[in-house]
Amino acid sequence: MTTDFQKIFDLVENIDISNYSKNRNFIDGSVTKLSPYISRGVISTKFILESLKKRNINLKKVEKFIQELAWRDYWQITWKNKNIDVDLKQKQKDVKKYGVPENIIKSNTGIKVIDKAIHDLYISGYMHNHVRMYIASIICNIGKCHWYIPAQWFYYHLIDGDWGSNALSWQWVCGSNSSKKYIANQENINKYCRDSQKNTFLDHSYEYLFNCGIPQEIENVINPKLETSILNESKGKIDCEKPILIYNYYNLDPFWRQDLNANRVLLLEPSFFKKFPVSDFVFNNFLKLAKNIRNIKIIYSEFNDLKQNYNKSQIYFKEHPTNIHYKGMCDERDWLFKTKSYYPSFFKFWNANKWELKI
């Protein structure tokens, strides 16, 4: 994964999504891998859409890809309007345990594709979306674990970790944010992961898997220790005569108010990383992206302390569900649609607003 802004923008301008709708669910399919940059606020869903328009791409022909962009906005709007740390629509059914199966964490389930994906996640911070669904299904619907702790574990290791997309996707899989649970068997995994493995605890019919007990391979559950070793000192001095632009884990936009003569501050709040811990690998990748913002100053502080220390400076920030405690001038994020209202389903959201795209 590149952390150079120019290369990131080049990726956007040259993405090939001509086969996206046909093979995106395959592990070697035509996915863009732009999610780490969307999640960190380097680029937005609207930025990508505008790039497609400039290339005169027929939006109707790539509607499935645009829907996936809209899914990201939909999760964010849901997060903006709802408490997503709890079961959203209904209680997750048939919960027996709280934690993560030990053999999942150790990438030792016996399912080759799953074990390799977890092993690679620890190294690269990336996992194909379809495989994420497989793992969530194994943990929640086969292993009978509540979704919250496994979702935290996933978020901890993902370079594109976005709590909105992550938490609500886990809830979609386990049925607390959908009408039914999602389960994939070994045959399905083999199809989309180009494999042929047999005789695993998933090598059964769907009817069997919906009603079976917890397989011994994922029976032992543990609560992983998730902590972030963030910087504990500030780097750079703030000029009290200039306004302050606050960047954070969800805003690394290099074009944001670029003509304003201001302090550009990367705010690392200890309370944020305590609630949303990430691995050292993920955190260091985040810092590399932040270094591309010219004259960025790293401030290790809670926002309220920063505000008190620099109470004469005008503070600017971008809206996000994690910084509703910020005070100052709030800039709106770049959304695909004008609406910020919650819809009970994605397709109600999509059908009510897609007219704006003129598809």
Side-chain angles (χ1 to χ4, degrees):
M1 171 187 164
T2 183
T3 55
D4 179 83
F5 280 162
Q6 186 56 55
K7 291 181 180 179
I8 294 168
F9 299 139
D10 289 343
L11 285 174
V12 174
E13 292 178 357
N14 293 286
I15 54 173
D16 180 6
I17 51 175
S18 56
N19 293 314
Y20 182 83
S21 62
K22 296 179 182 178
N23 63 20
R24 68 187 180 90
N25 285 333
F26 288 88
I27 199 169
D28 56 356
S30 301
V31 295
T32 66
K33 294 189 178 180
L34 293 176
S35 57
Y37 313 117
I38 300 173
S39 296
R40 299 288 68 79
V42 177
I43 57 177
S44 66
T45 52
K46 187 175 182 180
F47 181 87
I48 297 171
L49 177 66
E50 293 303 318
S51 176
L52 296 179
K53 289 181 177 179
K54 288 177 183 177
R55 292 163 59 188
N56 294 317
I57 291 176
N58 186 325
L59 299 186
K60 183 63 179 177
K61 291 184 177 180
V62 295
E63 184 172 350
K64 190 62 182 178
F65 175 73
I66 298 173
Q67 278 188 352
E68 291 304 311
L69 295 179
W71 267 106
R72 299 189 69 89
D73 275 17
Y74 175 66
W75 292 143
Q76 296 303 306
I77 290 171
T78 302
W79 190 7
K80 184 180 176 71
N81 287 277
K82 300 288 183 178
N83 178 7
I84 65 170
D85 290 345
V86 298
D87 295 357
L88 187 63
K89 293 181 179 178
Q90 59 264 336
K91 289 288 186 181
Q92 180 184 339
K93 296 179 181 178
D94 201 22
V95 173
K96 306 294 185 184
K97 301 187 178 187
Y98 292 83
V100 186
E102 185 175 13
N103 280 339
I104 286 282
I105 291 177
K106 292 182 177 179
S107 60
N108 189 34
T109 66
I111 301 174
K112 292 185 294 184
V113 167
I114 299 301
D115 292 342
K116 183 179 186 306
I118 296 169
H119 175 267
D120 291 347
L121 171 66
Y122 295 152
I123 296 173
S124 68
Y126 175 78
M127 184 181 289
H128 189 282
N129 188 62
H130 215 167
V131 182
R132 300 183 196 200
M133 292 169 59
Y134 293 153
I135 293 175
S137 173
I138 291 170
I139 294 174
C140 296
N141 301 333
I142 306 296
K144 317 295 184 187
C145 293
H146 188 265
W147 66 269
Y148 185 77
I149 295 174
Q152 285 186 309
W153 164 73
F154 232 40
Y155 176 91
Y156 182 81
H157 291 289
L158 288 167
I159 55 173
D160 65 355
D162 179 297
W163 185 243
S165 297
N166 191 53
L168 291 167
S169 294
W170 277 79
Q171 292 206 52
W172 185 89
V173 169
C174 77
S176 62
N177 184 32
S178 58
S179 59
K180 62 180 181 180
K181 296 184 176 187
Y182 168 83
I183 284 183
N185 63 9
Q186 188 67 51
E187 181 181 8
N188 185 284
I189 292 173
N190 286 346
K191 175 183 177 180
Y192 289 103
C193 297
R194 315 291 191 187
D195 202 23
S196 59
Q197 190 176 10
K198 300 288 185 181
N199 301 318
T200 70
F201 64 84
L202 291 182
D203 195 14
H204 297 280
S205 69
Y206 285 110
E207 181 180 7
Y208 174 86
L209 292 176
F210 270 109
N211 297 285
C212 69
I214 300 174
Q216 63 178 4
E217 291 90 340
I218 55 172
E219 191 170 16
N220 187 39
V221 168
I222 60 176
N223 200 333
K225 184 178 181 180
L226 306 176
E227 294 180 346
T228 302
S229 303
I230 67 171
L231 298 172
N232 57 9
E233 61 180 346
S234 300
K235 294 186 177 182
K237 294 183 178 180
I238 294 178
D239 185 343
C240 298
E241 301 299 318
K242 296 180 181 180
I244 300 173
L245 270 64
I246 301 293
Y247 297 80
N248 55 34
Y249 194 65
Y250 284 102
N251 174 28
L252 295 178
D253 181 359
F255 296 134
W256 178 46
R257 291 187 175 267
Q258 58 182 335
D259 296 329
L260 182 64
N261 182 16
N263 298 281
R264 299 183 182 273
V265 170
L266 179 63
L267 185 64
L268 305 179
E269 290 188 283
S271 60
F272 172 87
F273 288 100
K274 184 176 181 179
K275 183 176 181 180
F276 301 104
V278 296
S279 71
D280 289 351
F281 175 83
V282 170
F283 184 76
N284 289 331
N285 192 79
F286 156 64
L287 287 183
K288 289 177 183 178
L289 282 171
K291 288 179 180 178
N292 285 280
I293 297 173
R294 188 175 180 182
N295 298 322
I296 193 76
K297 300 172 178 64
I298 298 176
I299 302 298
Y300 178 85
S301 169
E302 298 297 334
F303 175 83
N304 290 337
D305 294 333
L306 176 76
K307 176 71 173 174
Q308 184 175 356
N309 291 335
Y310 301 97
N311 56 15
K312 293 183 180 180
S313 298
Q314 175 65 59
I315 293 178
Y316 297 85
F317 59 92
K318 271 194 175 185
E319 65 169 322
H320 194 270
T322 60
N323 60 24
I324 57 175
H325 59 294
Y326 285 13
K327 298 290 186 290
M329 182 71 68
C330 179
D331 288 345
E332 188 175 68
R333 296 170 61 187
D334 292 331
W335 301 96
L336 285 179
F337 304 128
K338 294 177 182 178
T339 184
K340 309 301 178 296
S341 301
Y342 170 72
Y343 288 79
S345 75
F346 169 77
F347 283 102
K348 287 184 178 180
F349 166 76
W350 172 258
N351 291 328
N353 297 287
K354 69 177 182 179
W355 63 269
E356 293 184 33
L357 305 178
K358 298 179 180 180
I359 292 180

